[in-house]
């Protein structure tokens, strides 16, 4: 992983071809070539909106100003119900709400929780470096809590803006956290909007200094994390950027402690080599930061990072989903 050159030394033509020489290898997500070409090995498979036959959840894609999202309505929705604003993972460089795993996950979560789901699209790096994704996430949140600028029938009829939740997995959890920080600014959200909870599933955070079990990491890990972070962000001090290291100093700690959420749920996977320790650190640090709300921790045993998208119906996948649903319904 990390920087690599995918040229054959015996082939001078390949060595000189800027469209064949890899200058950044961000496995398993993408390769960037010297010519500037970006290759995403997994492609970008998508599934359409509509009625999900397994759950009865109905979805639609919306575009309103700068906001773009896939919206989910549970079957038989009546009255006012909670709203979950969800951000997908993928290292800030791949993925979308229309990706099969994300779409199926949201159908299941919305069906189990009885909440409206709003899954934000956001621009991807490196073509659109951070803060582009943060800005798009904020636009999606603002769209949702203004009831689609007062024009979306599902939100107008069913959205309970006193029960809004921010959630995400991996890079999406990072986006959810930073969106919560932004929401703490005076007047950032309309009157009557209450963010009840922030659910961080296998969150992507890091830092220049190892914490906990990161002490056992090999010497290549910290430089790899630094390279990949710098690859996705336009301007940064590196791994001590508060957007990726949210308790790095007193100012960052104060901003994280001030998130306007009543509860925080941090979910980790036992075999998540790169990110588990940092998620546990986040759980410890937010409890110690002066954050006034409740903090909860849930661990999935015997599984790795973002396992649930491929194992939604497994015992661990159902447990994680039910834990998230309980957090929403609490």
């Amino acid at each position: 992983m990390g920087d690599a050159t995918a040229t054959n030394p015996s082939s001078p033509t390949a060595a000189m071809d800027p469209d064949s020489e890899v200058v950044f290898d961000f496995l398993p997500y993408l390769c960037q070539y010297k010519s500037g070409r970006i290759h995403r090995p997994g492609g970008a498979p998508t599934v359409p909106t509509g009625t999900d036959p397994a759950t009865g959840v109905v979805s639609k894609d919306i575009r309103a100003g700068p906001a773009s999202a896939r919206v989910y309505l549970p079957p038989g929705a009546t009255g006012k119900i909670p709203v979950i604003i969800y951000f997908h993972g993928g290292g800030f460089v791949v993925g979308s709400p229309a990706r099969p795993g994300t779409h199926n996950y949201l159908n299941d979560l919305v069906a189990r929780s009885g909440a409206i789901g709003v899954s934000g699209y956001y621009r991807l790096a490196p073509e659109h470096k951070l803060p582009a994704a943060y800005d798009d996430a904020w636009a999606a949140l603002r769209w949702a809590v203004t009831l689609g600028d007062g024009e979306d029938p599902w939100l107008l009829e069913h959205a309970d803006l006193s029960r809004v939740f921010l959630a995400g997995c991996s890079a999406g959890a990072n986006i959810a956290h930073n969106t919560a920080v932004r929401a703490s600014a005076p007047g950032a959200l309309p009157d009557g909007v209450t963010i009840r909870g922030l659910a961080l599933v296998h969150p992507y955070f890091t830092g220049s200094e190892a914490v906990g079990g990161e002490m056992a990491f090999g010497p290549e890990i910290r430089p790899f994390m630094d390279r990949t972070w710098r690859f996705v962000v336009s301007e940064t001090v590196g791994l001590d950027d508060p957007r990726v290291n949210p308790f790095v100093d007193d100012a960052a700690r104060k901003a994280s402690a001030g998130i306007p959420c009543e509860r925080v749920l941090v979910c980790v996977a036992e075999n998540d080599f790169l990110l588990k320790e940092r998620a546990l650190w986040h759980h410890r640090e937010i409890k110690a930061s002066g954050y006034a709300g409740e903090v909860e921790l849930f661990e999935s045993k015997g599984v790795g990072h973002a396992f649930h998208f491929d194992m939604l119906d497994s015992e661990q996948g159902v447990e994680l989903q039910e834990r998230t649903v309980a957090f929403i319904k609490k």
Side-chain angles (χ1 to χ4, degrees), residues 100-152:
T102 303
H103 182 68
N104 292 337
Y105 170 82
L106 263 296
N107 279 323
D108 187 72
L109 180 62
V110 165
R112 290 177 184 271
S113 65
I116 294 174
V118 179
S119 183
Y121 286 87
Y122 56 84
R123 287 168 290 171
L124 301 175
E127 295 92 339
H128 305 281
K129 294 194 174 190
L130 296 174
Y134 295 139
D135 291 342
D136 293 347
W138 182 252
L141 171 61
R142 287 283 311 179
W143 178 86
V145 299
T146 58
L147 304 176
D149 297 323
E151 296 180 352
D152 185 81

Side-chain angles (χ1 to χ4, degrees), residues 31 46 94 123 155 199:
C31 288
T46 60
V94 297
R123 287 168 290 171
L155 294 174

Side-chain angles (χ1 to χ4, degrees), residues 22-315:
V22 177
V23 293
F24 197 90
D25 192 352
F26 193 173
L27 290 173
Y29 300 128
L30 61 73
C31 288
Q32 184 180 44
Y33 294 88
K34 194 171 184 179
S35 66
R37 181 172 69 92
I38 303 293
H39 174 58
R40 291 174 168 86
T46 60
V47 291
T49 57
T51 301
D52 177 52
T55 62
V57 171
V58 184
S59 58
K60 63 182 180 182
D61 282 336
I62 66 92
R63 297 186 185 280
S68 186
R70 181 162 287 198
V71 188
Y72 297 79
L73 187 69
T78 57
K80 299 296 186 179
I81 55 181
V83 181
I84 305 166
I85 317 293
Y86 181 83
F87 305 107
H88 67 83
F92 300 106
V93 299
V94 297
S96 87
R99 200 159 191 154
T102 303
H103 182 68
N104 292 337
Y105 170 82
L106 263 296
N107 279 323
D108 187 72
L109 180 62
V110 165
R112 290 177 184 271
S113 65
I116 294 174
V118 179
S119 183
Y121 286 87
Y122 56 84
R123 287 168 290 171
L124 301 175
E127 295 92 339
H128 305 281
K129 294 194 174 190
L130 296 174
Y134 295 139
D135 291 342
D136 293 347
W138 182 252
L141 171 61
R142 287 283 311 179
W143 178 86
V145 299
T146 58
L147 304 176
D149 297 323
E151 296 180 352
D152 185 81
W154 292 359
L155 294 174
L156 284 166
E157 186 171 354
H158 296 297
D160 182 351
L161 297 182
S162 71
R163 290 187 289 167
V164 176
F165 293 83
L166 298 176
C169 179
S170 195
N174 175 290
I175 292 171
H177 169 89
N178 282 288
T179 301
V181 170
R182 188 167 178 175
S184 67
L189 297 179
D191 291 343
V193 175
T194 301
I195 300 179
R196 289 285 182 92
L198 172 64
L200 307 176
V201 180
H202 312 166
Y204 169 64
F205 297 115
T206 185
S208 62
E209 300 295 326
V211 299
E214 290 179 351
M215 302 288 187
F217 281 1
E220 76 283 358
I221 296 299
R222 199 66 50 201
F224 167 75
M225 298 298 283
D226 184 75
R227 284 196 305 273
T228 52
W229 169 247
R230 291 179 186 275
F231 183 68
V232 301
V233 65
S234 57
E235 294 181 18
T236 184
V237 297
L239 296 187
D240 289 334
D241 187 319
R243 292 171 293 185
V244 76
N245 189 349
F247 302 97
V248 64
D249 55 27
D250 289 344
R253 182 176 297 272
K254 183 178 180 181
S256 293
I259 59 173
C261 312
E262 297 177 0
R263 291 176 278 122
V264 174
L265 171 65
V266 179
C267 299
V268 302
E270 183 180 25
N271 299 337
D272 188 353
F273 169 73
L274 272 183
L275 297 180
K276 176 186 174 182
E277 290 298 326
R278 192 61 58 161
L280 294 173
W281 164 86
H282 183 283
H283 175 256
R284 293 192 299 269
E285 289 297 314
I286 198 165
K287 287 176 69 175
S289 70
Y291 168 66
E294 300 176 24
V295 185
E296 306 172 28
L297 179 69
F298 177 76
E299 181 173 0
S300 299
K301 299 291 187 180
V303 289
H305 184 73
F307 75 93
H308 46 294
F309 297 106
D310 293 324
M311 300 173 59
L312 196 57
D313 295 328
S314 67
E315 181 180 351

